[in-house]
Amino acid sequence: MDVSAFLEGFSVVAEPRNLLYCLIGVLIGMLIGVLPGLGPAATIAILLPIVYGTDPVSAIIMLAGIFYGAQYGGTITSVLLRLPGEASSVVTVFDGFALAKQGKAGTALGIAAIGSFIGATVSIIGLSLLAPVIAGYALDFGPPEMAALALLGVLLVSTIGSGHMLKALIAAGIGMLLATVGRDSFSGAERFTFGSLQLSDGIDFVVVAMGLFGVGEILYNLEERHGKVHAPAKVGNVWPSRADLKESSGAIARGSGIGFLLGVLPGGGAVMSSLAAYATEKRISKTPERFGRGAIQGVAAPETANNAAATSSFIPLLTLGIPANASMAILFGALLILGVTPGPQLVDERPDLFWGVINSMYVGNLILLLLSIPLVGIFVRILRVRPAILAPITVLITVLGVYTINNSVFDIYVMIIFGVVGYLMKKLGFEPGPLVLAFVLGGLVEANIRRSLIIFEGDPTGFVTRPISGTILLVLVLVAAWPIVSGIRKRRRAAAVADQPDREDLRV
């Protein structure tokens, strides 16, 4: 790690403008986390038009603050309303709401805030130490390696992400197909444009993201919450006792490690990390029956893990140019919009942006810790605002944002179409995340495969003979085969259990 560049990053963050953007980002993130249904991916997508013309460092600091700030905010509704404000807070509902019913809502929120801060800080330290090292090795990556890595990223999201694997694969396939719309950059041929001039340059990523995550999520959540009345639980003392801190210390430590490791993995992210941390605590606990009934570890572990994962997911984005999840995919698009190409060269070409963004997380998480506890009362009041009032305001902002990108009414129509598609996907059990991630990575996959074939003179075995790309493809095959193998093993076990009574009858 270049110590001088690292310290220079703090001077970048200390600029008043960047401090202001960091504060705005984390406040918006907390607010979005509190409001169920919108989420950081949708919010970042909606705000993308605003960052046009903004200094890239300030813009990415703000967008990153929204992402990890939403992890804090999502806890509040999970504990008070049994309604996860953010997908990564789903597991927190089990024990957080149970604690709230016991009059310990303040304790749950306090432990969540402390665990989130510790998990994020541990992850930021790991990010500072490992990201430059990974970037150094990534310089050996050529088109074959980038193609293999992008394919692995799409597959990992489809196979180890949340939801049904087949549906995730279908969504990813649709995303990669949508990435081919427009003029072929190699031959200049028109593809899937159906004679439309507006589609000749392809479908704008911002329009897709704002439609799927913005309009689609709003429509779905309006329907889900229609007619339901939610009264937030009362919040008592927010500061946890020494006994609570001692009881949850192990969960916070393990959650930090699990979150950091799974956040780096494409397809892992905050949701998977919170699930894994909760499952780990329940498995190693001497009293697993307490989980789901108000175990403080059931709040500490997932909240620590999702914040650690939210931070470490910046490693593959900044060093390899590979977004690990849907929110990172939208941040990837934001960097491209601002004229910054994420990848191994970013550390050397834009050290101000690289270290400025990383070091802003130290400041941002400290701000979140200082604000999250005092602002709980305000956020509880915001929860009383009806969705029927908030939703039209959000849609209006979304429509204006899409129009200002290219001053195109056609983009609004496309966004509405993707909004309906996003709504139908949610209704049918399809997650939009794999589609968006595959849409971003699809262009990388196609371009790098074609460049590689030019290098190999049309011989596809070159992907396997190169050490790095061959290793990545081997991992890809193992990941693809694992669900099939595990499915066969489950069926064999079920068949063995079904045959057991028959054998006992024969003995009798």
Side-chain angles (χ1 to χ4, degrees), residues 389-445:
I389 296 173
L390 291 174
I393 297 173
T394 308
V395 171
L396 178 62
I397 294 171
T398 305
V399 171
L400 290 174
V402 165
Y403 180 77
T404 55
I405 296 172
N406 299 312
N407 293 327
S408 171
V409 177
F410 179 80
D411 285 347
I412 297 177
Y413 293 143
V414 174
M415 182 200 67
I416 293 171
I417 291 171
F418 276 103
V420 174
V421 169
Y423 165 76
L424 293 174
M425 287 178 70
K426 295 283 286 186
K427 289 287 290 181
L428 297 173
F430 288 83
E431 286 296 325
L435 190 155
V436 172
L437 188 67
F439 180 76
V440 172
L441 294 178
L444 289 174
V445 171

Side-chain angles (χ1 to χ4, degrees), residues 27-96:
L27 282 175
I28 293 175
M30 284 186 70
L31 178 60
I32 292 307
V34 167
L35 298 175
L38 200 53
T43 306
I44 295 170
I46 291 169
L47 293 178
L48 281 181
I50 298 175
V51 304
Y52 280 104
T54 308
D55 176 65
V57 178
S58 303
I60 298 302
I61 284 175
M62 182 184 75
L63 296 179
I66 292 171
F67 178 54
Y68 57 81
Q71 312 304 322
Y72 277 77
T75 313
I76 297 172
T77 48
S78 296
V79 173
L80 301 181
L81 293 177
R82 202 182 182 186
L83 187 67
E86 174 33 38
S88 59
S89 299
V90 170
V91 188
T92 310
V93 166
F94 305 149
D95 290 278

Side-chain angles (χ1 to χ4, degrees), residues 80-157:
L80 301 181
L81 293 177
R82 202 182 182 186
L83 187 67
E86 174 33 38
S88 59
S89 299
V90 170
V91 188
T92 310
V93 166
F94 305 149
D95 290 278
F97 188 70
L99 286 167
K101 289 197 297 183
Q102 298 169 18
K104 298 179 180 178
T107 301
L109 292 172
I111 283 290
I114 293 169
S116 298
F117 174 75
I118 293 173
T121 303
V122 169
S123 191
I124 296 166
I125 294 170
L127 174 61
S128 302
L129 296 174
L130 289 181
V133 177
I134 295 173
Y137 282 108
L139 291 172
D140 296 329
F141 277 48
E145 288 75 20
M146 291 303 298
L149 193 62
L151 275 173
L152 179 62
V154 174
L155 185 64
L156 282 172
V157 169

Side-chain angles (χ1 to χ4, degrees), residues 32 89-90 112 114 161 178 222 245-246 260 303-304 335 344 427 474 490 494:
I32 292 307
S89 299
V90 170
I114 293 169
L178 289 171
L222 274 176
L245 289 170
K246 184 179 180 180
F260 178 79
E303 286 303 312
T304 302
L335 284 165
K427 289 287 290 181
L474 176 61
K490 286 180 181 178

